């Protein structure tokens, strides 16, 4: 089918603008409502007084990952590699479930203000101080700005396609409101706004998918699935006759990526804004419940509307040249398969397009607001308060937090103007964190890991990433054949892991008093601590329930995948597999509920 410009393009009526305006007003109102309590102390501003319920935290996590760049990323993956391309992020469910059943309670027990404060609880001396200060800027500034830039890039593409806005116009509109309510309301304002924005975002994505399937160009769901271009992209798993497909799309994510790489929102062992939510929970039970709800909703509830719209885009815009012809005002460097999601939304009618635009704005703002609060918490608590002004008052810390919120937004906006693809940023961040993930899993349970383990892993993975992403493409034939680019991840993980293991055994372990202090605080299972604990016979050795927790992690993973694929089978019209998968999901849920009551 030849792509054509939708005649209703940018036909946003007063009703649509009214819906969008109401959304902005409510979001700002929440920020103003929570401003007084948020400004009372730094812990209130960044942790909401550690009194948040699981359902609010869980919805906030889902809303944060319901970023505007996520449907764009899914569209990019589906158009390039079919539905199976989503294993690039579906594999992170394993990380998520590990966090739910093993690490959520440990984070809450630590009572840290940020996950970076962990470093000076688990390690000691200059190495621990360096880790905390450096990563406050490395993650809070560099990584955080890159993530926010990908979200802002998605906003640019949405604004350009649906509203005809120039990139800087889109960024000004999205940034101002987000910065206002984030800097005023602190984490509580972010959580409450996320809760409101989540339902807007869900209504928008499901409504858009329903309407697009009924377009004359698509005809119906059955017509879409039988289309010659679409029918080849429906499999949940890649073609196992072609190793250049199944190894990078499935084997690598499932076998290596989920535990070996560090990626914001899917950190092995929890971290970043996920840890921030767990640390702000009322208690351990609410921390676990929040992360469980997040993983179920993130992987099983949300993907299919995005996938269906991505598949529909292949019918109307089969090639990037079709997108370019339909949207000539989009800069050439912003053209890509991810643009197709926004392009499909231009077909929506009055009223629904207002809801969808509000949902996309909600997706942008919920993610940006979380990253702004999380990033500024690092800058304030782990850099400014720790190294620059330990005597700072709460009022001063809140002020610095609000200033850093604005600075982070400005930096990410400038970076977004220079970027072209969310998928590019996704792959670069995975490469930079390759090989470090296993440390974040083991450091709670293995006494031998020290500060220099983490410092070496961080340095080695960064150097290796620079080599593969910047230097090696120019001499690709030296290490990696052109059709086996997935070997980058294998090499990166192997080199980094061997490097930090060598450093671990060649450097001194942490002092016993530091190790015992940490162990008493978080009481992990004693399996990897016995060599230290045996030196102190009076020290209680926590037996824990780690084997049962690992079993629940695997059960939860199967449950969520079964729910995800059950929905897919029903959409495809394959009823028997759909019911079987649904039965597996229900059985998994029953096992988890039964075991939950027995966990202490």
């Amino acid at each position: 089918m030849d792509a054509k410009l939708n005649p209703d393009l940018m036909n946003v009526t007063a009703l649509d603008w009214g819906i969008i305006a109401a959304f902005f007003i409510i979001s700002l109102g929440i920020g103003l409502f929570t401003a007084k309590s948020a400004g009372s102390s730094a812990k209130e501003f960044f942790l909401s007084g550690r009194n948040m319920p699981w359902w609010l935290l869980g919805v906030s996590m889902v809303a944060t990952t319901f970023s505007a760049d996520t449907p764009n990323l899914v569209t990019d993956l589906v158009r390039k590699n079919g539905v199976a391309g989503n294993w690039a992020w579906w594999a992170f469910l394993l990380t998520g479930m590990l966090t739910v059943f093993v690490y959520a309670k440990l984070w809450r027990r630590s009572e840290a203000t940020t996950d970076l404060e962990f470093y000076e609880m688990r390690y000691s001396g200059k190495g621990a101080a360096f880790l905390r200060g450096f990563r406050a800027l490395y993650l809070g500034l560099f990584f955080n700005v890159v993530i926010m830039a990908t979200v802002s890039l998605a906003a640019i593409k949405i604004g350009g396609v649906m509203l005809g806005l120039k990139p800087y116009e889109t960024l000004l509109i999205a940034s101002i409101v987000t910065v206002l309510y984030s800097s005023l309301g602190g984490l509580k304002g972010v959580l409450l706004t996320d809760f409101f924005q989540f339902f807007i975002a869900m209504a928008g994505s499901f409504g858009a998918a329903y309407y697009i399937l009924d377009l004359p160009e698509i005809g119906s769901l059955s017509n879409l699935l039988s289309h010659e271009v679409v029918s080849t992209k429906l499999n949940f798993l890649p073609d196992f006759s072609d190793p250049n497909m199944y190894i990078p799309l499935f084997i690598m994510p499932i076998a290596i990526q989920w535990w070996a790489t560090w990626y914001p929102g899917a950190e092995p062992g929890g971290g970043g804004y996920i840890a921030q939510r767990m640390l702000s929970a009322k208690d351990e039970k609410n921390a676990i419940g929040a992360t469980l709800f997040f993983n179920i909703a993130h992987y099983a509830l949300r993907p299919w509307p995005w996938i269906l719209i991505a598949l529909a885009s292949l019918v109307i815009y089969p090639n990037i040249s079709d997108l370019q012809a339909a949207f000539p005002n989009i800069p050439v460097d912003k053209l890509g398969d991810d643009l197709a999601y926004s392009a499909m939304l231009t077909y929506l009618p009055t009223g629904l397009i207002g809801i969808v635009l509000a949902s996309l704005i909600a997706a942008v703002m919920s993610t940006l607001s979380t990253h702004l609060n999380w990033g500024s918490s690092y800058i304030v608590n782990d850099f400014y308060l720790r190294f620059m002004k330990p005597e700072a008052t709460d009022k001063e810390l809140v002020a610095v937090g609000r200033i850093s919120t604005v600075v982070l937004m400005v930096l990410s906006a400038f970076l977004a103007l220079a970027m072209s693809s969310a998928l590019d940023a996704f792959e670069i961040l995975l490469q930079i964190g390759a090989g470090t993930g296993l440390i974040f899993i083991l450091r709670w349970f293995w006494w031998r890991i020290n500060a220099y383990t983490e410092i070496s892993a961080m340095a080695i993975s960064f150097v290796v990433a620079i080599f593969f992403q910047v230097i090696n493409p120019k001499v690709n034939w030296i290490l990696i054949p052109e059709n086996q680019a997935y070997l980058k991840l294998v090499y990166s993980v192997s080199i980094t892991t061997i490097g930090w293991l060598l450093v671990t055994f060649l450097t001194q372990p942490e002092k016993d008093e530091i190790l015992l202090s940490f162990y008493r605080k978080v009481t992990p299972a004693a399996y990897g601590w016995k060599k230290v604990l045996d030196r102190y016979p009076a020290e209680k050795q926590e037996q824990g329930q780690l084997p049962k927790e690992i079993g629940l992690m695997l059960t939860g993973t199967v449950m969520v995948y079964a729910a995800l694929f059950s929905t897919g089978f029903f959409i495809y019209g394959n009823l028997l597999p759909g019911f079987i998968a649904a039965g597996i999901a229900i059985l998994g849920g029953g096992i988890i509920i039964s075991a939950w009551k027995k966990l202490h």
Side-chain angles (χ1 to χ4, degrees):
M1 177 182 293
D2 293 330
K4 59 182 182 297
L5 184 63
N6 179 12
D8 293 326
L9 178 62
M10 295 180 289
N11 185 26
V12 182
T13 66
L15 173 62
D16 300 311
W17 283 116
I19 293 170
I20 295 168
F23 169 80
F24 278 130
I25 291 169
I26 293 173
S27 297
L28 279 173
I30 292 172
L32 291 170
F33 174 75
T34 55
K36 185 176 180 180
S37 61
S40 62
S41 71
K43 277 192 168 52
E44 186 68 38
F45 189 82
F46 294 119
L47 288 177
S48 301
R50 294 194 200 275
N51 195 36
M52 293 295 102
W54 68 268
W55 53 268
L56 183 58
L57 295 171
V59 169
S60 175
M61 292 180 195
V62 183
T64 295
T65 52
F66 201 148
S67 167
D69 66 317
T70 309
N72 287 15
L73 174 64
V74 170
T75 300
D76 203 333
L77 292 169
V78 170
R79 285 173 64 88
K80 285 184 170 73
N81 300 307
V83 174
N86 286 288
W87 282 104
W89 66 280
W90 284 347
F92 283 123
L93 172 63
L94 288 155
T95 302
M97 284 298 174
L98 188 65
T99 299
V100 171
F101 293 108
V102 177
Y103 294 99
K105 66 180 185 297
L106 301 180
W107 278 113
R108 186 60 184 83
R109 287 175 194 169
S110 75
E111 296 185 315
T113 301
T114 69
D115 58 316
L116 297 188
E117 196 173 304
F118 170 94
Y119 290 121
E120 293 193 299
M121 297 171 60
R122 175 64 174 80
Y123 314 127
S124 62
K126 294 180 179 179
F130 170 80
L131 267 174
R132 185 176 179 182
F134 179 78
R135 287 182 76 84
L137 299 181
Y138 181 59
L139 299 181
L141 196 61
F142 170 69
F143 255 85
N144 204 27
V145 165
V146 172
I147 294 295
M148 290 194 295
T150 64
V151 178
S152 299
L153 175 64
I156 287 172
K157 295 189 176 188
I158 293 165
V161 168
M162 301 189 71
L163 298 171
L165 295 175
K166 293 181 173 61
Y168 73 87
E169 293 173 333
T170 300
L171 290 177
L172 280 174
I173 294 170
S175 301
I176 291 172
V177 176
T178 307
V179 167
L180 279 174
Y181 80 75
S182 300
S183 60
L184 287 173
L187 181 61
K188 186 175 289 185
V190 171
L191 294 175
L192 292 175
T193 310
D194 280 351
F195 188 78
F196 160 65
Q197 292 172 349
F198 168 76
F199 293 101
I200 298 292
M202 291 299 295
S205 63
F206 278 90
Y210 181 83
Y211 184 86
I212 285 170
L213 289 175
D214 202 38
L215 288 174
E217 294 87 345
I218 305 299
S220 65
L221 175 60
S222 60
N223 283 352
L224 172 67
L225 299 178
S226 61
H227 192 278
E228 59 182 359
V229 176
V230 173
S231 61
T232 62
K233 295 183 177 290
L234 299 178
N235 292 331
F236 301 150
L237 298 174
D239 180 5
F240 281 92
S241 65
D242 183 1
N244 292 315
M245 291 295 290
Y246 71 78
I247 292 179
L249 294 183
F250 183 73
I251 299 298
M252 299 302 294
I254 286 292
I256 297 177
Q257 180 180 296
W258 72 270
W259 60 265
T261 61
W262 184 96
Y263 186 79
E267 301 89 342
Y273 60 81
I274 300 297
Q276 185 188 32
R277 300 304 193 271
M278 293 185 285
L279 290 167
S280 65
K282 287 181 180 179
D283 49 36
E284 294 172 27
K285 182 179 178 181
N286 279 274
I288 295 170
T291 48
L292 179 60
F293 175 84
F294 160 61
N295 281 280
I296 293 172
H298 181 53
Y299 293 99
L301 179 63
R302 295 189 311 186
W304 282 107
W306 301 335
I307 292 171
L308 289 173
I309 292 173
L311 293 171
S313 74
L314 288 166
V315 177
I316 297 179
Y317 304 107
N319 302 302
I320 292 178
S321 58
D322 300 308
L323 290 166
Q324 186 174 23
F327 304 97
N329 62 311
I330 300 296
V332 175
D333 67 326
K334 298 293 187 284
L335 283 169
D337 282 305
D338 59 341
L339 189 72
Y341 185 83
S342 304
M344 293 303 298
L345 300 183
T346 63
Y347 285 82
L348 300 180
T350 296
L352 181 56
I353 199 169
I355 294 173
V356 169
L357 277 170
S359 76
L360 292 171
I361 294 168
V364 171
M365 290 170 55
S366 63
T367 305
L368 289 179
S369 62
T370 286
H371 279 269
L372 289 171
N373 187 270
W374 165 52
S376 64
S377 75
Y378 282 0
I379 293 169
V380 171
N381 189 69
D382 301 297
F383 188 77
Y384 184 82
L385 178 63
R386 172 63 180 83
F387 297 102
M388 294 183 68
K389 198 172 181 182
E391 73 280 6
T393 64
D394 273 323
K395 184 177 180 181
E396 183 178 348
L397 293 176
V398 172
V400 173
R402 286 170 169 162
I403 292 169
S404 61
T405 297
V406 176
V407 172
L408 288 171
M409 189 68 250
V410 171
L411 291 175
S412 65
F414 277 111
L415 180 58
L417 294 172
M419 294 177 66
S420 60
S421 169
L423 183 59
D424 292 342
F426 177 79
E427 292 174 345
I428 290 170
L429 291 177
L430 282 182
Q431 193 72 39
I432 290 176
T436 63
L438 191 58
I439 296 174
F440 302 125
I441 291 174
L442 293 178
R443 63 188 183 179
W444 298 84
F445 296 100
W446 186 26
W447 71 279
R448 194 61 183 79
I449 287 177
N450 59 41
Y452 297 101
T453 303
E454 296 214 29
I455 292 171
S456 61
M458 185 170 57
I460 295 168
S461 66
F462 185 81
V463 171
V464 172
I466 293 298
F467 175 77
F468 281 127
Q469 295 298 126
V470 179
I471 300 172
N472 192 55
K474 299 176 182 178
V475 287
N476 201 45
W477 55 271
I478 291 179
L479 287 177
I480 302 174
E482 188 174 351
N483 63 345
Q484 295 180 13
Y486 56 81
L487 289 176
K488 285 182 182 180
L489 183 61
V490 177
Y491 289 151
S492 299
V493 170
S494 300
I495 294 168
T496 302
T497 302
I498 291 170
W500 65 253
L501 279 171
L502 286 172
V503 169
T504 300
F505 289 111
L506 291 173
T507 54
Q508 291 295 315
E510 299 297 338
K511 296 176 181 178
D512 282 3
E513 55 264 34
I514 294 296
L515 296 172
L516 290 173
S517 173
F518 175 79
Y519 179 80
R520 293 167 187 153
K521 180 72 173 175
V522 301
T523 59
Y527 300 105
W529 293 86
K530 289 187 69 64
K531 190 165 184 177
V532 176
L533 297 174
D534 286 347
R535 294 199 286 264
Y536 301 90
E539 197 71 36
K540 179 184 177 183
Q541 296 195 19
E542 175 64 41
Q543 296 305 307
Q545 302 180 77
L546 189 58
K548 180 180 284 188
E549 291 163 357
I550 297 296
L552 287 174
M553 167 236 175
L554 296 175
T555 302
T557 300
V558 171
M559 175 189 73
V560 174
Y561 280 144
L564 171 68
F565 298 139
S566 173
T567 304
F569 282 129
F570 285 131
I571 289 172
Y572 292 174
N574 299 330
L575 299 185
L576 181 59
F579 282 117
I580 292 173
I584 293 171
I586 292 169
L587 177 63
I591 292 172
I592 287 175
I593 291 171
S594 175
W596 190 297
K597 297 175 183 177
K598 300 174 184 177
L599 285 175
H600 58 77

